[in-house]
Amino acid sequence: MIIKPRIIPPDIVHLEILKHRLKPHHPAVPQVEETLSAMKAGWNGEQSLDFHLDYLKGPHHILHNLRLHDRHHFFQIDTVILFPSFLLILEAKNMIGQISIHREKKEMRRDTEGFQDPVEQAERQKRLLDEWLWRQLRIRIPIDFLVVFTNRRCTLEFDSSDSRIYEKVIRASSLVDALEKKKDMHQGKRFKKEELLRIGQALTESHQDHVPDYMKRFNLSYSDLIKGVRCPTCGKYSMKRTKMKWVCSGCSHHSFLAHEQALKEYAVLVAKTISNKEARDFLKVGSRHVVYRLLSAYCKGKSGSTKKARFLLEC
């Protein structure tokens, strides 16, 4: 049973929006594309685990993409599986090439690149989750983990005196067998279905999405963005408002609600509220009366007098 399903992270959604809205040939474009590519690779790796998890037998509950606060900072976990006698953390790695894990040095290397030791990373997640469960629910339950390399185009090499490294770091193709072995290892106290559901619900309710300010991260301003309403058919910012609908001057596609996506993108990149003047500039519509009607129909609410009103946008 999946308690918290896997959904596309806001990070990727926001970066996709920024990629489309950023003016062509802007010097930040390569950075945005590189960051987006890395995030998509990680996301694809996590998604690829679902095929193997479909073969998991016995009672269990799955939660994907958790981000919890430990009273000081946030920590993230790709997947948590709740079994009756223990919890299992899955840390997915979608990497290609020659991967070397050095436990004593606490690092992972790919050619000349260095990364954090994924075993150390998973151990930290285990400790923080254990502390969180005790602090929030006064529950002690064994927690285990697996680091899962999801890409077939990688070779794994271990430089470690830890003989259990092969039980901690696996390929995705070995996931189901590894899970069955973990279940055999944890044969202690069994929690009831209701208790596991309570844990799963508490974890889900405490999750907080990470919504970074990419405009600030890449040192961008409003003037760096393309204005206008994007055509959902040809992708060009060439939609013009004519009477009661939008018409694309490029491909002649028409839409009644094309402005809604543009306003969502404004909320993501610029601000969660917008004035009539700001909306006219961003949507490239000259009539303040037309824009007032569009904002009044779309927005969740507004504050201020008619002339100085600010409309609350949905992300």
Side-chain angles (χ1 to χ4, degrees), residues 146-179:
L146 285 170
V147 176
V148 188
F149 281 81
T150 60
N151 201 306
R152 295 178 181 177
R153 294 185 297 160
C154 82
T155 55
L156 295 176
E157 180 181 88
F158 303 111
D159 180 7
S160 173
S161 60
D162 183 1
S163 59
R164 295 177 299 168
I165 188 71
Y166 300 99
E167 299 173 5
K168 299 175 181 178
V169 182
I170 63 170
R171 292 182 176 277
S173 56
S174 303
L175 179 58
V176 175
D177 288 340
L179 289 175

Side-chain angles (χ1 to χ4, degrees), residues 4 7 9 11 19 23 34 51 114 157 179 185 192 198 253 262:
K4 185 178 181 298
I7 60 173
D11 307 57
K19 177 185 174 183
K23 289 181 177 178
E34 182 181 355
F51 170 80
E157 180 181 88
L179 289 175
M185 289 169 55
K192 296 180 180 179
R198 183 166 74 93
H253 173 78

Side-chain angles (χ1 to χ4, degrees), residues 25 30 37 46-47 77 117 138 174 195 197 215 260 273 289:
H25 312 301
S37 178
E46 292 174 31
Q47 282 187 301
I77 302 176
D117 174 9
R138 286 294 183 265
S174 303
E195 293 174 306
L197 287 174
M215 293 288 286
E260 293 190 355
T273 63
H289 299 291

Side-chain angles (χ1 to χ4, degrees), residues 275-277 279-280 283 285 287-299 302 304-311:
S275 68
N276 188 299
K277 182 180 179 180
R280 276 181 277 148
L283 299 176
V285 176
S287 171
R288 126 179 113 80
H289 299 291
V290 169
V291 168
Y292 182 82
R293 288 196 298 270
L294 294 177
L295 292 176
S296 297
Y298 170 73
C299 296
K302 66 176 181 176
S305 60
T306 302
K307 289 187 178 180
K308 295 184 178 181
R310 296 200 67 82
F311 295 81

Side-chain angles (χ1 to χ4, degrees), residues 248-306:
C248 178
S249 60
C251 70
S252 300
H253 173 78
H254 65 85
S255 167
F256 294 101
L257 302 174
H259 62 283
E260 293 190 355
Q261 179 60 32
L263 291 172
K264 288 179 182 178
E265 293 173 359
Y266 185 95
V268 166
L269 300 176
V270 184
K272 300 295 187 295
T273 63
I274 193 170
S275 68
N276 188 299
K277 182 180 179 180
E278 291 165 343
R280 276 181 277 148
D281 181 64
F282 192 68
L283 299 176
K284 299 175 74 172
V285 176
S287 171
R288 126 179 113 80
H289 299 291
V290 169
V291 168
Y292 182 82
R293 288 196 298 270
L294 294 177
L295 292 176
S296 297
Y298 170 73
C299 296
K300 295 187 289 186
K302 66 176 181 176
S303 60
S305 60
T306 302

